[in-house]
Amino acid sequence: GGTDEAKRRAGERAAEEVEDGFVVGLGTGSTTAHAIRAIGEAVENGLEVRGIPTSFQSRQLALEVGIPLTSLDAVSSVDLAIDGADQVVDTGDGTEQVLDRSDAGDGDLIKGGGAAHTREKLVDAAADRFVVVADPSKLVDRLEGPVPLEVIPDAHTVVADAICELGGDSTLRAAECKDGPVVTDNGNLVLDCSFGPLEDPERLASRLASIPGVVEHGLFVGRTDAAYVGTESGVEVREY
Ligand code: DER
């Protein structure tokens, strides 16, 4: 559909940043999947790259399209990471040119819709350059929940209590084709936490990170270098 066309444009455009010899972080989700497929085609045409997957899903797809894989402990640096997002702060209206976004908050993200944000953040943060790929439905003026939290299974009730004390509420993410909750690639559970519109994502991020039992939260604040936003007719690029 239309949205998938926009996702495909964004993913394929971002994949053009991949140069010969690159180590590339491979994000998770349907938008990044287009970038992974495009990188696979480039590999078929002779591009030398190594990919670091951020989930079982992105590893499976990378293997399928023939991207040689590596891991963070086997490389000295990651040149580029490409990943999707659930929400991207974007306070302007885009055009085809590269727009410099200096406004505070532009490029901040909520991730974790695919329950992969722990390894995504690890790889995205390790990269020299982190670019997001998205369709216009992900653009927001201001982040507002839910913010996914990966939690150690034993901790899910005490973390839920801590979220209440922070003025939020949380839901244990239920699985679709499995009885009981979603279990992440790391064997943990996911709490989706709602706080309404986020006045100060950075402060919330540090509060969430300090709750015992929380493995990782889905707020990516000040980490995005650029965003490729697919539209019906083209791609808008934003440098942050
Ligand atoms: O889990 C994540 O953060 C993913 O990047 C994700 O939620 C975006 O997925 P999509 O590209 O399929 O919308």
Side-chain angles (χ1 to χ4, degrees), residues 75-104:
V75 299
S76 53
S77 65
V78 182
D79 299 288
L80 173 70
I82 303 174
D83 208 340
D86 299 305
Q87 292 184 4
V88 186
V89 175
D90 185 78
T91 53
D93 57 344
T95 67
E96 264 300 303
Q97 303 103 26
V98 173
L99 297 169
D100 283 327
R101 295 276 201 234
S102 54
D103 314 27

Side-chain angles (χ1 to χ4, degrees), residues 28 34 62 72 74 77 88 113 125 130 141 161 169 174 205 215 235 239:
T28 297
H34 289 294
L72 285 176
S77 65
V88 186
F130 168 42
D141 287 334
D161 294 344
D169 61 50
V215 175
V235 180
E239 292 289 335

